[in-house]
Amino acid sequence: MRIIYNLEFIMIYVEDVFKDSGIPTYTFVEPNEFMKLVVALRTKGRCLIIEGPSGIGKTTCLRKALEKLNKNDAVILSARKPLDCEEIKRVLTDNSQSGTIVVDDFHLLSLELKTGLSNLMKTIADEDRDDIKLVLIGINKAGDTLINIAPDLNNRITTIKFEVNSKSKILELIEKGECCLKIRIENKEDFAVKANGSFHIAQMLCKELCLEQQILDDNRENVKIINVPVDGVVSRIIDDLARVFNKKAKDFVVGSRLRIEGRAPYFHLLHWLATSNEWSIRMTDMYIKHPALKQSVSQVAEKGYLSKLIKNNVGLSDVIHYDEISKILTIEDPKFIFYLKNINWTIFADEVGFKNIDFNKKYDFALSFAGESREIAERLFKYLTSEHDFSVFYDFNEQHSILGENLEEYFEPIYQSEAEYVIVILDEFYPKKVWTNFESSRFKSRFGENVIIPIICNGCSPDQFSRLSQIGYLTINKEQDLEKQIHDIAELIIKKVEEKRMGNKM
């Protein structure tokens, strides 16, 4: 197709048809939410939240809707720009006759600014103001944070949730590009599927295809037929993206430092993101879906390690966001999610150094001890979980789960089969306690599996007829420096686990 203007032909270039960034010139496709957005923008006295996965066209759609309504005076601010954040602060204190104000990536704002915006939106609704409208754009489920801050806000605003675009919408985009460049992509449906609902990724795939086929503009008389397997195009894009995203992915899965013997919580978080249809995950949902990894993942998420990892790494904060209020982890860069969805995760795990990423037991260790040795148990629990990402059953850590349960039914499977190893802290009180006797009766059948690890306290030794006397054990003296002893004991236990998991892998 050629556009005639002043009797001259205007060349259409591939970079203007399939655009890597910015508003599409020729290939804009109205998403299903477009008309709802137009109506919401026209509605007076009601602010608007637009949320959804990155790269599906939220900001582009908003700009086109504003253009349709001739709202050319709308002020568009970005939470990524310090000067724009200062302007947001100014609006919160002086917002008379402000018109339409758009805040893009609002999920990146500080809690203070989010709270201020929540209060202002409530005021606008309550006073039915028609001189100002706030439009906030954020990643998937970003609005949940504002609702958590101000629950009564929900009925005073309009929330438009952008879904992943349908294959038919992606095909519409591709066909518009075909028309402009005088080409026909025979297997365009394959490209539409690989775009995974993202207009941005569809643009990237088609541009790469055109460059490979030397389609640089529309300068041809006849339609050119293109029939190239999509996997080859994807492979070349992934090779190119790896230069940017491979290090980011590895930085994330390693966490603060690589613990190859543990449960790799950061690795699993990133893998769950890669397989999520919405490019975001809610921690509470993951705990239910993956109970075997709940403890190790919650350890990093609930204690602030996950937030700290992202905030302290500029490369990660550009592509991943974690909201501590809503407990939602989200990919922000559509190219990054495309990269994650198309890498070989087994090879990736090997490259990072993880020995095992498949866990068929809920716990790595279960601790069995009398109350008099609780200090040893607690120190050991903290060391194994905080320092090495293991999943450890320790009764005090699970008090909320135990409430209302039949204790015998709850504890029995843990010591019988759900823990890979049972660590027994044997002191003089151990044989005298009801619950330690119950626990030992449940794990005694596992002695032949080489999974019982005794720790013998000073003043106590296993009876010569006891099964514990027939296996290797560790010792600890309660009257000496516990911290160093527990460190040394834990390191020996970790080495045992590491050798077993390496053996299983080989």
Side-chain angles (χ1 to χ4, degrees), residues 67-131:
E67 184 181 299
K68 183 180 181 68
L69 295 171
N70 293 318
K71 290 183 175 289
N72 300 319
D73 58 343
V75 176
I76 300 181
L77 306 172
S78 171
R80 297 182 183 275
K81 299 178 180 179
L83 289 179
D84 285 2
C85 290
E86 290 301 315
E87 179 62 15
I88 293 170
K89 291 179 183 178
R90 188 200 64 76
V91 170
L92 292 177
T93 56
D94 179 14
N95 49 70
S96 59
Q97 304 295 322
S98 294
T100 301
I101 299 173
V102 179
V103 180
D104 203 356
D105 290 325
F106 80 91
H107 54 277
L108 298 178
L109 294 173
S110 66
L111 179 59
E112 178 186 2
L113 287 180
K114 288 177 183 176
T115 303
L117 287 172
S118 297
N119 292 332
L120 178 56
M121 287 191 290
K122 285 195 295 183
T123 301
I124 292 170
D126 292 343
E127 296 178 358
D128 197 27
R129 291 178 59 177
D130 61 2
D131 61 325

Side-chain angles (χ1 to χ4, degrees), residues 330-368:
T330 307
I331 296 289
E332 292 203 67
D333 189 326
K335 287 187 176 74
F336 189 40
I337 193 69
F338 181 76
Y339 174 76
L340 295 177
K341 284 181 177 293
N342 287 281
I343 63 173
N344 184 310
W345 281 84
T346 301
I347 294 175
F348 179 64
D350 283 340
E351 289 177 352
V352 174
F354 288 117
K355 293 178 170 61
N356 183 31
I357 55 173
D358 299 314
F359 302 94
N360 55 14
K361 292 188 181 295
K362 186 174 181 180
Y363 301 101
D364 296 304
F365 305 101
L367 299 177
S368 179

Side-chain angles (χ1 to χ4, degrees), residues 126-403:
D126 292 343
E127 296 178 358
D128 197 27
R129 291 178 59 177
D130 61 2
D131 61 325
I132 180 173
K133 178 182 285 292
L134 289 179
V135 181
L136 310 185
I137 308 175
I139 53 180
N140 201 36
K141 298 182 175 67
D144 290 11
T145 304
L146 297 183
I147 302 304
N148 286 331
I149 293 172
D152 56 342
L153 178 65
N154 194 46
N155 296 325
R156 292 177 166 87
I157 59 173
T158 299
T159 300
I160 298 181
K161 298 183 179 182
F162 276 64
E163 304 294 339
V164 171
N165 296 296
S166 65
K167 188 174 78 171
S168 63
K169 290 289 184 181
I170 301 296
L171 284 171
E172 184 181 344
L173 181 154
I174 295 173
E175 288 164 0
K176 285 188 173 187
E178 288 178 313
C179 181
C180 288
L181 294 171
K182 293 183 182 176
I183 60 175
R184 186 168 77 237
I185 304 171
E186 290 286 81
N187 57 334
K188 65 174 70 71
E189 291 212 359
D190 294 340
F191 282 81
V193 170
K194 275 295 181 182
N196 198 43
S198 168
F199 287 145
H200 183 89
I201 298 302
Q203 302 270 14
M204 182 175 67
L205 287 168
C206 291
K207 182 180 179 181
E208 178 65 25
L209 173 64
C210 288
L211 293 177
E212 178 196 298
Q213 295 296 300
Q214 298 185 352
I215 307 295
L216 304 181
D217 50 48
D218 68 333
N219 187 26
R220 62 190 56 80
E221 293 298 328
N222 301 314
V223 173
K224 181 171 180 176
I225 309 300
I226 301 176
N227 192 356
V228 175
V230 68
D231 289 342
V233 177
V234 170
S235 179
R236 283 185 290 278
I237 291 175
I238 293 301
D239 286 344
D240 186 52
L241 294 179
R243 290 182 295 178
V244 177
F245 294 125
N246 183 260
K247 184 180 185 305
K248 294 178 187 287
K250 287 180 177 178
D251 284 348
F252 184 86
V253 301
V254 166
S256 58
R257 62 188 175 91
L258 181 62
R259 300 171 177 87
I260 56 178
E261 71 285 340
R263 293 221 160 191
Y266 295 103
F267 179 93
H268 288 95
L269 284 170
L270 197 64
H271 186 242
W272 296 339
L273 278 170
T275 55
S276 167
N277 291 329
E278 297 183 327
W279 312 348
S280 65
I281 54 175
R282 191 189 300 272
M283 291 302 161
T284 51
D285 295 339
M286 294 300 102
Y287 300 156
I288 295 171
K289 190 174 181 180
H290 306 281
L293 292 160
K294 175 184 176 181
Q295 190 182 91
S296 59
V297 171
S298 64
Q299 178 78 15
V300 301
E302 308 299 331
K303 294 191 175 181
Y305 301 129
L306 177 59
S307 292
K308 186 177 179 181
L309 171 67
I310 296 172
K311 289 176 182 177
N312 291 347
N313 187 316
V314 176
L316 289 179
S317 60
D318 283 342
V319 296
I320 301 179
H321 177 73
Y322 180 58
D323 191 307
E324 291 189 277
I325 297 176
S326 61
K327 307 295 182 186
I328 294 174
L329 183 67
T330 307
I331 296 289
E332 292 203 67
D333 189 326
K335 287 187 176 74
F336 189 40
I337 193 69
F338 181 76
Y339 174 76
L340 295 177
K341 284 181 177 293
N342 287 281
I343 63 173
N344 184 310
W345 281 84
T346 301
I347 294 175
F348 179 64
D350 283 340
E351 289 177 352
V352 174
F354 288 117
K355 293 178 170 61
N356 183 31
I357 55 173
D358 299 314
F359 302 94
N360 55 14
K361 292 188 181 295
K362 186 174 181 180
Y363 301 101
D364 296 304
F365 305 101
L367 299 177
S368 179
F369 60 95
E372 286 76 6
S373 291
R374 180 167 296 281
E375 183 180 1
I376 295 173
E378 184 165 354
R379 284 175 180 247
L380 189 57
F381 166 76
K382 288 180 178 178
Y383 190 84
L384 291 173
T385 54
S386 299
E387 298 296 322
H388 291 275
D389 294 335
F390 283 115
S391 177
V392 183
F393 175 78
Y394 171 58
D395 58 354
F396 266 27
N397 191 56
E398 309 228 3
Q399 286 182 323
H400 61 289
S401 300
I402 296 172
L403 285 174

